[in-house]
């Protein structure tokens, strides 16, 4: 099993090296060539995520005494993928020097200031987008908990309602038996203990 994990690790290393190389090339490209490279990197990142899932499944199959070491390695790989995904997002909106000069003009000092400001704004937007995504996931989890709570409450209400009707039926049966002692061997029944 650990040999499968190590094979996945080798594939992971190869794929992430390719992705890192391509992410570095994306800002230097434009047009259709950039679009194709972005699609290719996106596809490779999906393959990397699938590899992580396979590695996670392999770790679950490893004996408990060896599992901690593999879990820590898997955790570091997941962090590496998160960093790659952030770099990928940034690279898609980054511009090459040629495109930047074309957009901002040739004035070096003002274009540098504008470029710094643009980068800060982009970084701020990316951070806000990530925060929004995390908040959305938390809201979805909270909504799921609320739905489960409502379902549990309804089930509990139905269960108690059914028990209450069973108690009433039993009480009527005992009352009927007490009023007709010749039908059973009971001579006295304490009906006050059955009040609900």
């Amino acid at each position: 099993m650990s040999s499968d994990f190590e094979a996945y690790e080798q594939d992971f290393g190869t794929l992430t090296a390719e992705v890192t190389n391509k992410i570095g090339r994306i800002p230097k490209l434009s047009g259709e060539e950039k679009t194709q490279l972005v699609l290719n990197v996106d596809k490779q990142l999906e393959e990397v995520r699938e590899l992580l899932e396979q590695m996670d499944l392999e770790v679950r199959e490893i004996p408990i005494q060896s599992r901690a070491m593999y879990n820590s390695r898997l955790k570091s790989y997941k962090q590496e993928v998160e960093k790659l995904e952030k770099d990928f997002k940034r690279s898609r909106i980054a511009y090459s020097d040629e495109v930047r000069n074309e957009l901002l003009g040739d004035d070096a000092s003002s274009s540098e200031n504008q470029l710094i400001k643009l980068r800060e704004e982009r970084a701020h937007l990316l951070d806000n987008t990530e925060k929004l995504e995390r908040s959305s996931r938390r809201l979805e989890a909270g909504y799921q908990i609320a739905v489960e709570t409502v379902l549990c409450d309804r089930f509990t209400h139905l269960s108690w309602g059914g028990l209450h009707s069973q108690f009433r039926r039993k009480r009527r049966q005992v009352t009927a038996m007490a009023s007709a002692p010749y039908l059973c061997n009971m001579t006295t029944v304490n009906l006050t203990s059955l009040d609900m």
Side-chain angles (χ1 to χ4, degrees), residues 122-135:
R122 285 189 190 118
H124 186 67
L125 284 172
L126 284 172
D127 289 341
N128 286 340
T129 301
E130 290 171 11
K131 287 178 186 176
L132 184 61
E133 289 172 356
R134 282 194 305 269
S135 297

Side-chain angles (χ1 to χ4, degrees), residues 21-183:
N21 181 19
K22 290 177 181 178
I23 287 174
R25 290 179 21 217
I26 289 174
K28 299 173 185 156
L29 301 174
S30 61
E32 184 64 28
E33 193 175 9
K34 182 175 183 174
T35 304
Q36 289 301 318
L37 190 58
V38 165
L39 291 173
N40 186 278
V41 169
D42 197 33
K43 181 181 175 186
Q44 284 186 315
L45 280 173
E46 183 61 34
E47 290 176 25
V48 168
R49 284 187 218 87
E50 289 174 10
L51 265 176
L52 280 178
E53 289 176 12
Q54 290 298 319
M55 291 165 82
D56 190 31
L57 291 174
E58 285 298 320
V59 166
R60 293 178 188 183
E61 297 295 321
I62 292 174
I64 294 174
Q65 55 272 29
S66 305
R67 195 176 297 171
M69 176 182 66
Y70 288 101
N71 272 330
S72 65
R73 286 162 58 180
L74 183 62
K75 184 178 178 182
S76 71
Y77 295 144
K78 287 179 180 180
Q79 290 171 345
E80 186 177 341
V81 170
E82 287 175 12
K83 184 185 178 307
L84 277 176
E85 289 174 340
K86 287 179 183 177
D87 291 345
F88 179 53
K89 283 182 180 179
R90 287 188 175 98
S91 73
R92 288 188 304 186
I93 59 172
Y95 294 104
S96 67
D97 292 337
E98 297 166 6
V99 173
R100 185 173 55 243
N101 288 337
E102 186 179 309
L103 290 173
L104 300 175
D106 289 332
D107 185 18
S109 64
S110 67
S111 66
E112 278 299 314
N113 291 336
Q114 290 175 345
L115 181 61
I116 291 169
K117 187 176 180 181
L118 280 174
R119 285 183 179 160
E120 290 173 354
E121 290 174 354
R122 285 189 190 118
H124 186 67
L125 284 172
L126 284 172
D127 289 341
N128 286 340
T129 301
E130 290 171 11
K131 287 178 186 176
L132 184 61
E133 289 172 356
R134 282 194 305 269
S135 297
S136 295
R137 286 192 296 271
R138 280 192 221 124
L139 281 172
E140 289 174 4
Y143 176 76
Q144 185 65 34
I145 289 170
V147 167
E148 290 173 7
T149 303
V150 167
L151 290 175
C152 287
D153 183 46
R154 287 184 181 162
F155 175 77
T156 303
H157 179 70
L158 291 173
S159 296
W160 282 110
L163 286 174
H164 185 67
S165 63
Q166 286 178 359
F167 286 137
R168 279 188 281 162
R169 278 194 304 270
K170 292 295 180 189
R171 183 175 179 204
R172 278 189 234 121
Q173 289 174 356
V174 169
T175 305
M177 288 183 354
S179 63
Y182 55 88
L183 294 177

